[in-house]
Amino acid sequence: MHDTRSGVPGRPATTICLVAVMALSACSGEPDPLPDEARLPGAAVAALQSHLTRMSEGALTCSEAAIEAAPRAVGFINDDRLPDFAISTQDLQCRSELGSAVAYFCGGSICAFPALMSEGTDYRVIWLMSGNEVSTRTDYQEARFVVRQGVFAGSAGSRVAVREYVWRDGTLTRVLEREEVAGRMP
């Protein structure tokens, strides 16, 4: 049926359903899509630069370009619907007055991964995680940072310690630690 006076199809049920679907999708509560991982927000870069200056008493300098070039994990970890990041420091190319800049982040076999947690328009640095690799994943609709650390166990072989961190009660908290057997070469 077609109403020739107004030029509008006479299918009100279809129109109502379409409006309902659009309204539900707008109110779904899903966070915005993750941003391009190639670019950190300026506030996140500034927070990390400030933290590194305080931590090293001014002896460590990391340019914006160096921080931008470092690999990172990104996810919606805390509940403000803004992206949070973890920087892979073993590839962070900074300058140090006291020698190797990597020594500020890494020991003999592991590195610290600073988490850059969004707080409105600012970011806070949490120097909590350490390991060899950092990523994000969602488990039971709870986003988390996943840190893997290779551990050599002598003649018993090697293993990988996996630690998972979530945002609870305003802090990044370790909620899971498990071990995986490291793959062996044939």
Side-chain angles (χ1 to χ4, degrees):
M1 174 198 272
H2 190 302
D3 183 349
T4 56
R5 291 173 290 176
S6 68
V8 177
R11 295 199 170 119
T14 304
T15 304
I16 291 171
C17 288
L18 181 59
V19 170
V21 166
M22 289 172 55
L24 285 174
S25 66
C27 299
S28 68
E30 290 296 317
D32 296 330
L34 286 173
D36 179 7
E37 289 184 45
R39 193 86 181 129
L40 280 170
V45 172
L48 183 57
Q49 286 174 322
S50 176
H51 175 79
L52 296 175
T53 299
R54 279 191 317 273
M55 169 193 94
S56 68
E57 297 178 350
L60 182 64
T61 306
C62 297
S63 69
E64 183 174 330
I67 294 170
E68 285 289 342
R72 69 186 56 79
V74 60
F76 295 109
I77 305 300
N78 62 12
D79 23 345
D80 67 0
R81 299 174 59 105
L82 296 171
D84 304 296
F85 304 89
I87 304 297
S88 190
T89 54
Q90 69 265 40
D91 296 315
L92 186 57
Q93 300 295 318
C94 301
R95 291 187 319 266
S96 171
E97 296 174 9
L98 304 176
S100 172
V102 175
Y104 282 99
F105 313 116
C106 301
S109 63
I110 62 172
C111 294
F113 298 115
L116 306 176
M117 305 302 292
S118 58
E119 294 183 326
T121 60
D122 291 325
Y123 277 79
R124 176 169 49 140
V125 178
I126 299 174
W127 210 233
L128 178 65
M129 305 171 288
S130 61
N132 303 110
E133 173 189 302
V134 64
S135 62
T136 57
R137 76 179 189 93
T138 301
D139 191 22
Y140 299 107
Q141 298 199 4
E142 185 173 54
R144 50 187 66 196
F145 285 121
V146 179
V147 179
R148 301 173 100 67
Q149 176 185 345
V151 179
F152 179 67
S155 62
S158 297
R159 61 184 174 82
V160 176
V162 181
R163 298 176 191 95
E164 297 187 8
Y165 299 84
V166 300
W167 189 258
R168 290 200 181 140
D169 300 323
T171 188
L172 199 56
T173 304
R174 185 168 47 191
V175 293
L176 178 66
E177 185 168 350
R178 67 179 189 276
E179 287 186 6
E180 297 173 350
V181 176
R184 295 180 182 243
M185 297 295 288

